[in-house]
Amino acid sequence: MLPDRLNARIAETISHKIDEERASADTVSPAWRSRCEAAHVAMLSDPERRVFLSHIAEVRGNAVANSLEHSAGELRTTAIFFLARKPS
């Protein structure tokens, strides 16, 4: 599968997951805002993620950028495993 198409399918899967979670989440909590920010980062392409995380590191610090990168990576991994199990 082409990388752009794979990224699009990963982003679509993450978006769907966040939409499902929204129904039962406290959408005004800091935890929810963090989850949505991580989802946003996870839906970006590799180059876009690097630029975004670099900006976060400059503005909010390396610890925040590293945490966000880790959370986004977990979301992407979960989406990839979901897509691998999903029949074509």
Side-chain angles (χ1 to χ4, degrees):
M1 180 176 298
L2 297 172
D4 288 342
R5 180 66 186 134
L6 179 58
N7 276 327
R9 291 188 66 203
I10 291 169
E12 183 180 297
T13 300
I14 293 168
S15 179
H16 181 71
K17 176 73 172 156
I18 291 297
D19 287 344
E20 285 178 349
E21 291 175 4
R22 184 175 285 115
S24 61
D26 176 6
T27 58
V28 296
S29 71
W32 178 252
R33 284 195 307 265
S34 293
R35 179 84 168 152
C36 288
E37 185 176 35
H40 170 75
V41 173
M43 290 188 279
L44 298 173
S45 68
D46 290 342
E48 292 169 327
R49 265 195 320 279
R50 283 192 295 276
V51 169
F52 187 86
L53 290 168
S54 175
H55 176 73
I56 293 296
E58 289 176 19
V59 174
R60 295 165 53 193
N62 283 330
V64 173
N66 290 338
S67 176
L68 190 54
E69 181 178 25
H70 177 74
S71 296
E74 287 178 343
L75 283 166
R76 285 184 67 82
T77 299
T78 300
I80 290 166
F81 279 111
F82 174 81
L83 290 169
R85 288 189 315 265
K86 186 177 177 182
S88 296

